[in-house]
Amino acid sequence: FAKKMDSDGNGKGEIWIGAPGWASANVNEIKVRDYGLLPFMDPIRAEQSVMVAKIGDSIKKKRGFAFYCYSPHSIWFLYDVVRLSEPKHDPAKYKVVQPAESPDWYKLSKVSSADAVKNVQIAYSKSLEKRSPGIAKLVANINLTSDDVGEWVFKISKGEKADKVISQWVRKNSKRVDSWLGL
C-alpha cells in the first residue's frame, strides 16, 4: 500500500507531517513512529502550499498521498480526500515533549492516539456588553462548525470576495443566524 505513495523511488511512501516549525509536525513525526509506519512511510516536512500542490499532483497521477490536516481547512472542499481514522484521544497514550523542552524530545515522547479535540472560542471585551449589548449577545451565541469555516476558507482561497461568501452563507443559514440574535 505504501509503495503506491512512493514519489521518490525509494520503495517507501511519504507522509506530510506539517510545515517546518510547527509543533504539530513534531507530534505527527512521533505518531508515524508509534503507529508503526516508519518501515513503510517517510515523514516529510514542507510548507503547506507544497502539500496542497502535492495532493493535486498525486490525484492527477492517480497516486496516493498521505498527509496531516486539521479542520477547518479548505483541503476538505478542494479535493475528494478521505480522512483516515486513528484511535480516540487517550491521555495515557499521548505524551509529547517538544524540542524546546528537551534535546531527547523524540525519544521521550509517546503518541499512539488522536490529538485531543480543540475548541475554538470567539472572545470579546467584557465592556462590549455595556457598549453594545445586541452585538455582545450575537457574538456570545455564534456557533460555527469546522465545515462552515472550511467552506469559507475554500471559497475565499479560490478568489471569491469574503463579504460575498459570508452574505451568501447568512442567506442560506438565516434561521441559524436569527437564533444567534434571539429571534
Side-chain angles (χ1 to χ4, degrees):
F1 179 76
K3 288 182 182 180
K4 293 182 180 193
M5 293 186 254
D6 180 11
S7 67
D8 62 8
N10 72 352
K12 293 170 69 175
E14 295 86 31
I15 181 168
W16 183 79
I17 58 171
W22 287 8
S24 59
N26 299 332
V27 173
N28 292 326
E29 185 171 351
I30 298 160
K31 283 183 178 185
V32 170
R33 179 196 68 199
D34 293 351
Y35 284 159
L37 299 175
L38 274 179
F40 317 104
M41 305 289 286
D42 287 328
I44 305 296
R45 290 181 195 237
E47 293 303 325
Q48 188 170 355
S49 58
V50 173
M51 177 268 293
V52 172
K54 183 89 170 166
I55 292 169
D57 185 57
S58 296
I59 288 171
K60 284 179 195 167
K61 293 178 179 175
K62 299 187 185 296
R63 183 177 356 169
F65 185 72
F67 60 95
Y68 158 76
C69 195
Y70 49 85
S71 187
H73 196 285
S74 62
I75 202 74
W76 305 110
F77 295 89
L78 186 59
Y79 297 113
D80 184 19
V81 294
V82 176
R83 185 184 310 257
L84 301 177
S85 63
E86 60 184 319
K88 185 179 177 182
H89 178 70
D90 180 347
K93 296 179 179 181
Y94 196 97
K95 180 184 182 216
V96 175
V97 178
Q98 289 289 349
E101 298 172 286
S102 171
D104 293 327
W105 68 274
Y106 186 73
K107 201 170 12 175
L108 296 172
S109 297
K110 178 77 175 154
V111 180
S112 57
S113 76
D115 297 348
V117 173
K118 293 146 185 94
N119 292 312
V120 177
Q121 304 295 320
I122 298 173
Y124 58 90
S125 166
K126 187 79 170 150
S127 68
L128 185 62
E129 293 172 355
K130 289 183 181 167
R131 292 182 290 119
S132 187
I135 297 294
K137 183 177 182 179
L138 168 65
V139 173
N141 289 333
I142 290 175
N143 185 359
L144 299 168
T145 67
S146 62
D147 283 346
D148 295 331
V149 178
E151 184 177 10
W152 298 346
V153 171
F154 168 68
K155 289 180 175 182
I156 293 166
S157 73
K158 288 300 204 181
E160 289 187 47
K161 298 285 184 201
D163 59 340
K164 180 182 170 198
V165 169
I166 300 305
S167 294
Q168 289 173 344
W169 185 90
V170 167
R171 277 194 299 279
K172 284 176 24 184
N173 294 277
S174 59
K175 288 182 182 177
R176 191 163 150 201
V177 173
D178 285 350
S179 75
W180 299 344
L181 295 164
L183 303 175

